[in-house]
Amino acid sequence: MKFYSTKNKQLRVRLREAVLQGLAPDGGLFMPEFIPAVDAPYLRGMTFQEIAMTLARPFTDGELSSNQLQEIIEDAFTFPVPLYPLSEDLHVLELFHGPTLAFKDFGARFMARLMAKFTVRQDRERLILVATSGDTGSAVASGFYAQPGMRVILLYPSGMVSKIQEQQLTTLGGNVTALEVDGSFDDCQRLVKQAFIDKDIREQCSLSSANSINIARLIPQSFYYAAAWSALPGSNTPLVMVVPSGNLGNLTAGLIARRMGIPILKFVSAMNANDVFLGYLEKGTFQPRPTIPTISNAMDVGNPSNYYRILDLYENDVRNLRKTVYGASFSDQDTQQAINQVYDQFNYMMDPHSAVGFLALQQFLSENKVNDWRQIILETAHPAKFKDIVESCTGRPVRIPQRLAVCLDKPKHAFTMSSLFSDFKEWLLSGAG
Ligand SMILES: *Cc1c(COP(=O)(O)O)cnc(C)c1O
């Protein structure tokens, strides 16, 4: 299979290039040249790994042997993906059982192993530069941890990430180096972007980006949609799946799973105040805006990149997209009430992102009078990552999972760095990392 750029369908590359380049040279996003079909009923009774193999095979055909793909999948998905019932019709799909307690572990772990497979024969170590405001960085760093031929440099803004996030970013060690930058997230991003175009750095280092638009992060996210459908009883009742949305990667992966033939009738895209995509669904115009900070901060995206992939899948036809995707957005105050309501009603602790999903589902059900449909909310993060908010809404202590407790106890290791490019460059070229 080849992958084309959303800006130019004639520009086609192999999976290896698409994964190692991240972004197409013309600034477009890579898309598979066709969406392979799967026979959904055939997936019933399969393990998560078997479903992942079945879905991933056509994307990697000719690039990886079946054994290589199997190794990647078995090594990447070592944690459960439970579908937990809140009521007869409503389930939550818990996507937070990976090492960094958020669904981004699926994409990051798969991408890291795929890149390592494509790099292994090279003599030079591949250097992954990641600017992070918190969540994505920890999933990416943890995904690349101990991967052969890979070295990760994480840049984060000093004093601007939560204590939990900082511990997750700075305690891995090994092939992961954290740089605490005296500046903002934008400064971190600027340093990374400048490094990619700097001639001296490019000569000396083999750089790769691991940002959220990499196609290797999207493909594995389609696996859990298929797995959730196959695990759900009552196969003839329509199914709606609710996706807490920010950069729209998760939603795009769901739409791809549906296009493959997984019988998901509707998607609900749940947003916070950063609801540019809702504007598109309602008015048919896409107007990026500056980001607004909220308590569901992993969804604070004012210009969602994967919008262009959705346009591509639906051939710019917003009316057709509306038949499949319903959108809704909610305030922080609504979200806090929802965390409390879900706890009272179901005795279940939801993180703020999933709580936005709960609200969007209620609105969809009441507007469409389809309460008898089967409903799945994607639980994108563990409540312990947002401990303070969840505890203040429920009045109950949040249990900290062992894997997080261990990392909270480890000593922090980070190099401090100014926000001057000349300092960063000198440090990189000296091989200090
Ligand atoms: C990244 C993230 C989201 C948003 O997912 P997108 O694929 O960017 O739309 C939602 N919830 C959590 C917890 C996240 O980390």
Side-chain angles (χ1 to χ4, degrees):
M1 156 132 22
K2 290 262 173 53
F3 295 80
Y4 62 76
S5 161
T6 49
K7 287 199 173 163
N8 175 8
K9 292 204 178 191
Q10 308 311 317
L11 195 147
R12 283 173 193 235
V13 302
R14 299 165 54 155
L15 180 63
R16 183 179 190 283
E17 280 87 276
V19 170
L20 295 181
Q21 286 173 11
L23 199 67
D26 62 1
L29 303 167
F30 285 117
M31 280 295 275
E33 60 182 343
F34 64 92
I35 308 289
V38 294
D39 181 14
Y42 173 75
L43 303 175
R44 288 217 187 262
M46 283 189 179
T47 64
F48 186 87
Q49 276 83 0
E50 288 164 342
I51 290 175
M53 265 312 271
T54 312
L55 266 55
R57 198 79 197 92
F59 292 109
T60 57
D61 244 356
E63 299 280 315
L64 292 176
S65 70
S66 191
N67 280 344
Q68 285 176 313
L69 181 61
Q70 183 104 30
E71 273 169 29
I72 292 175
I73 285 173
E74 280 176 6
D75 196 45
F77 309 117
T78 49
F79 45 89
V81 193
L83 190 62
Y84 182 89
L86 292 187
S87 69
E88 201 182 319
D89 298 319
L90 174 60
H91 286 69
V92 289
L93 182 64
E94 293 186 344
L95 299 174
F96 53 65
H97 293 272
T100 72
L101 294 88
F103 84 94
K104 290 192 175 69
D105 285 326
F106 287 86
R109 290 174 68 80
F110 186 84
M111 171 176 67
R113 281 153 187 77
L114 197 56
M115 276 192 181
K117 277 269 185 288
F118 286 142
T119 302
V120 126
R121 282 162 206 279
Q122 287 195 338
D123 42 6
R124 256 202 321 204
E125 200 173 48
R126 190 167 287 283
L127 191 64
I128 313 285
L129 296 181
V130 188
T132 182
S133 55
D135 253 22
T136 309
S138 56
V140 169
S142 155
F144 278 104
Y145 179 72
Q147 289 302 303
M150 299 282 163
R151 152 142 237 109
V152 182
I153 303 202
L154 274 176
L155 293 83
Y156 73 95
S158 181
M160 311 277 272
V161 302
S162 75
K163 177 77 189 137
I164 290 179
Q165 286 172 332
E166 185 165 33
Q167 284 298 112
Q168 287 185 312
L169 295 170
T170 59
T171 58
L172 278 163
N175 62 334
V176 177
T177 305
L179 275 189
E180 182 175 359
V181 175
D182 183 16
S184 64
F185 171 60
D186 291 334
D187 290 321
C188 298
Q189 269 194 314
R190 175 177 49 78
L191 293 176
V192 168
K193 281 187 184 154
Q194 267 181 276
F196 271 93
I197 54 175
D198 186 89
K199 204 172 125 285
D200 303 325
I201 295 176
R202 292 187 66 109
E203 255 168 34
Q204 197 175 316
C205 312
S206 166
L207 291 184
S208 264
S209 122
N211 52 22
S212 62
I213 46 80
N214 199 302
I215 187 72
R217 282 177 63 171
L218 220 55
I219 293 171
Q221 289 179 32
S222 65
F223 306 161
Y224 48 71
Y225 287 92
W229 171 81
S230 83
L232 197 64
S235 57
N236 289 326
T237 316
L239 169 63
V240 54
M241 291 189 75
V242 184
V243 190
S245 301
N247 208 23
L248 300 173
N250 213 358
L251 178 64
T252 306
L255 294 172
I256 290 175
R258 185 180 194 273
R259 196 63 70 82
M260 285 174 162
I262 308 302
I264 302 163
L265 193 59
K266 276 269 190 184
F267 288 93
V268 171
S269 174
M271 287 158 263
N272 61 28
N274 298 278
D275 57 358
V276 170
F277 183 59
L278 179 62
Y280 173 68
L281 286 171
E282 285 178 347
K283 298 191 219 74
T285 52
F286 183 70
Q287 281 163 325
R289 291 195 304 254
T291 303
I292 304 162
T294 74
I295 57 167
S296 46
N297 56 18
M299 309 194 320
D300 294 351
V301 182
N303 186 6
S305 333
N306 285 295
Y307 162 74
Y308 296 98
R309 284 198 167 109
I310 295 176
L311 274 195
D312 189 82
L313 276 172
Y314 283 81
E315 295 172 328
N316 285 308
D317 184 349
V318 70
R319 267 174 296 184
N320 194 18
L321 180 65
R322 277 184 203 129
K323 290 181 198 153
T324 305
V325 181
Y326 173 92
S329 70
F330 298 89
S331 69
D332 278 355
Q333 203 186 349
D334 293 340
T335 308
Q336 282 164 321
Q337 276 171 6
I339 295 172
N340 183 33
Q341 185 195 339
V342 170
Y343 185 72
D344 278 352
Q345 203 173 333
F346 303 107
N347 198 23
Y348 187 86
M349 290 219 182
M350 253 186 197
D351 89 284
H353 306 78
S354 315
V356 175
F358 179 79
L359 287 166
L361 175 64
Q362 301 318 309
Q363 185 175 312
F364 170 77
L365 295 176
S366 70
E367 275 183 19
N368 293 280
K369 313 234 174 342
V370 288
N371 283 299
D372 57 332
W373 282 20
R374 297 176 303 158
Q375 307 138 24
I376 297 178
I377 300 173
L378 270 53
E379 280 262 316
T380 51
H382 193 288
K385 286 193 97 159
F386 303 90
K387 192 171 177 294
D388 296 347
I389 297 165
V390 176
E391 288 184 344
S392 81
C393 295
T394 61
R396 291 284 189 289
V398 176
R399 199 187 57 82
I400 304 285
Q402 185 62 26
R403 61 197 184 288
L404 181 58
V406 166
C407 130
L408 294 181
D409 279 343
K410 284 191 189 162
K412 161 183 164 182
H413 287 290
F415 288 90
T416 49
M417 176 69 52
S418 81
S419 61
L420 288 176
F421 181 68
S422 52
D423 288 346
F424 178 51
K425 177 172 172 175
E426 190 187 333
W427 181 84
L428 260 185
L429 294 179
S430 73

